[in-house]
Every structure is written in structure tokens, then in C-alpha cells.
Amino acid sequence: MKIKLFYFAKVREMVGIDQEEVDVESDIKTLAELIAFLKLRGSQWQAIFDMSSSFRMAINQELAEASCKINANDEVAFFPPITGG
Amino acid sequence: MIMSVYVQQDLFDLQSITQQLKKLHNSGASVTFEGYVRDFDLGDDKLEMLELEHYPGMTEKALLNIESLAMNRWHLDDVYIVHRYGKLKVGEPIVGIVVFAKHRKEAFDACHFIIDFLKTDAPFWKKEITNHQSYWVDAKKIDDGKWN
């Protein structure tokens, strides 16, 4: 199952890329499971995702919670808490 | 009832926007909010520039959603939101909001609601660039529930 991933601001700098496409097993059904999969990549990935206060998520450009379901071809984004305005 | 959002690098002139919009409506009140790049000086660490990153696509959606929420909650004639991204100098405007309504209370409340929601729901991130370093601005704790 293919998912598009986008990273912004401090999260983008920590992971070193701004976007990618991943092909994950279909048993990954939620954002929480996707995060567990990404954390296997190493310490920078763990550092971001171990602290719930350090990042927010969106699915198809809408803010989402860890329990939200993901589907094939979804656009998932990870970014720090918002500081606009 | 008109809604519009603009996400741009260029400067904007909220006064002339307000004057233009005023001609379209028979409103009794308009309330505008304008946010600027605030100067700070921590010893020899002086702010030179702000860099704003955003999430193209989601930003516009989020701003339109905030406008819809305000429109559904108050009786408004018009809502206009403009937010900049990219490199901004000290003193330059970052965000502008104009709300037109028949009565002042609706215009005040809606404008306040929009800027509060924008600060938690519109995907923008500020990086402060001083003469010595650059760092991402931490999000402030928001008093959730104010508008529930």
C-alpha cells in the first residue's frame, strides 16, 4: 500500500527530507502504526515521534489523531505544533 | 456573503483592501486585525528576519474552513484573510483579517475567533533569524475551549 509522506519545518530538518513515498504492508491501518514503522528507521525518527508534544499530523491535508485510519494513496504529513499568525 | 483567503509572499495593504470591500456591502461595522513581525533584542542577539514555512494546499483549506466556521456562527457580510510566507522583515505585516457585519459585536467576536483558530489550525511555522543564529519558534500553550 503506497502512502505519500510530507515533512515540514523542524520535523523536515530532523528527518532530512521534505517528502517521500513509502510502500507499507496493509496491516498498517492507523497513523499510530505508521509512526511505529517510521521509528524503526533510527534515532532521529524516534526522537521526533517519542514526544507527542513535538509533532502534529494531517491526513489528506486535514489535522488528524494517531488513531485515525490510513488508506492507500493517502497524503500524510508530519509537522511541529503550528506557530503562524 | 463572500469568503476569500490569500496565501502569498508579497506585502499587503489592509487599509486599501478594507476600503475596496466596504464598497461591496452595506455593513454597519468592520473589524480588522493585522499581525506584524515583532522586533526583539536579547543582548547582542538581534532579530533580523522571520522565515515562514507553510503547507501549500492544506493552508488554503484550513483558512477557508476557519472562515466557514465563523460564517456559520455569526451573521457576517464578508470575511477576508491574508497570510504571508517566506522571508519577512521586522515590522512587516504577517497576517491580515477583515470582517464585515451589520453590527460591531459580531464583527469583533468573529475577528477574534478567526485569529485564535488560525493560530492553532493553519499550518504555518515561524523561524527566527537573528544576527547570530536561527531557530524555530515554539508553539505557545493555547487556552483550549474558549470558543466551544
Side-chain angles (χ1 to χ4, degrees):
Chain A
M1 169 169 94
K2 286 190 173 144
I3 311 249
K4 267 206 174 124
L5 300 179
F6 288 83
Y7 308 98
F8 291 96
K10 193 177 187 174
V11 172
R12 170 176 56 72
E13 289 183 352
M14 285 179 79
V15 301
I17 46 172
D18 58 3
Q19 57 176 287
E20 62 176 321
E21 190 172 88
V22 290
D23 203 349
V24 297
E25 299 294 331
S26 55
D27 60 346
I28 291 182
K29 292 187 176 66
T30 64
L31 273 179
E33 287 163 355
L34 178 65
I35 288 166
F37 165 81
L38 292 170
K39 277 169 73 174
L40 298 174
R41 288 173 162 182
S43 58
Q44 281 296 71
W45 297 81
Q46 285 169 20
I48 295 162
F49 293 126
D50 276 346
M51 255 176 57
S52 63
S53 62
S54 68
F55 73 99
R56 298 284 180 272
M57 302 157 285
I59 300 176
N60 298 328
Q61 304 188 347
E62 285 186 19
L63 290 172
E65 303 292 327
S67 59
C68 288
K69 296 251 183 303
I70 50 172
N71 296 294
N73 303 314
D74 272 354
E75 176 178 318
V76 173
F78 297 102
F79 43 76
I82 283 158
T83 56
Chain B
M1 187 162 87
I2 303 166
M3 299 200 300
S4 44
V5 303
Y6 294 87
V7 181
Q8 62 188 50
Q9 285 185 281
D10 296 339
L11 280 165
F12 57 82
D13 179 351
L14 209 54
Q15 247 184 341
S16 69
I17 292 164
T18 306
Q19 288 308 312
Q20 291 298 315
L21 293 174
K22 182 173 175 286
K23 293 175 191 160
L24 305 175
H25 307 288
N26 181 28
S27 301
S30 76
V31 169
T32 63
F33 174 87
E34 192 166 18
Y36 312 107
V37 180
R38 195 173 48 219
D39 195 7
F40 72 78
D41 204 337
L42 295 170
D44 60 349
D45 209 12
K46 194 169 168 47
L47 184 69
E48 291 193 332
M49 203 174 275
L50 202 64
E51 189 159 14
L52 265 142
E53 182 170 333
H54 78 118
Y55 183 174
M58 179 171 171
T59 308
E60 291 81 357
K61 271 193 196 177
L63 295 178
L64 281 170
N65 183 49
I66 293 166
E67 284 194 351
S68 300
L69 289 172
M71 289 284 195
N72 289 333
R73 196 169 170 137
W74 291 279
H75 197 75
L76 308 174
D77 294 331
D78 202 345
V79 176
Y80 181 102
I81 303 176
V82 54
H83 202 302
R84 294 175 66 205
Y85 65 93
K87 290 191 163 78
L88 281 67
K89 294 191 196 106
V90 170
E92 285 187 2
I94 303 175
V95 58
I97 299 166
V98 189
V99 178
F100 284 88
K102 293 281 173 286
H103 305 287
R104 69 183 184 282
K105 187 172 178 5
E106 288 160 328
F108 270 122
D109 288 353
C111 191
H112 193 179
F113 170 90
I114 290 166
I115 186 62
D116 281 1
F117 253 73
L118 190 148
K119 281 186 167 278
T120 57
D121 280 37
F124 287 97
W125 302 278
K126 285 182 185 140
K127 188 181 224 178
E128 288 175 343
I129 300 164
T130 71
N131 47 344
H132 291 304
Q133 55 186 333
S134 67
Y135 43 83
W136 293 101
V137 174
D138 282 332
K140 293 191 179 56
K141 290 206 168 24
I142 308 292
D143 51 333
D144 285 333
K146 181 173 180 179
W147 295 104
N148 286 347

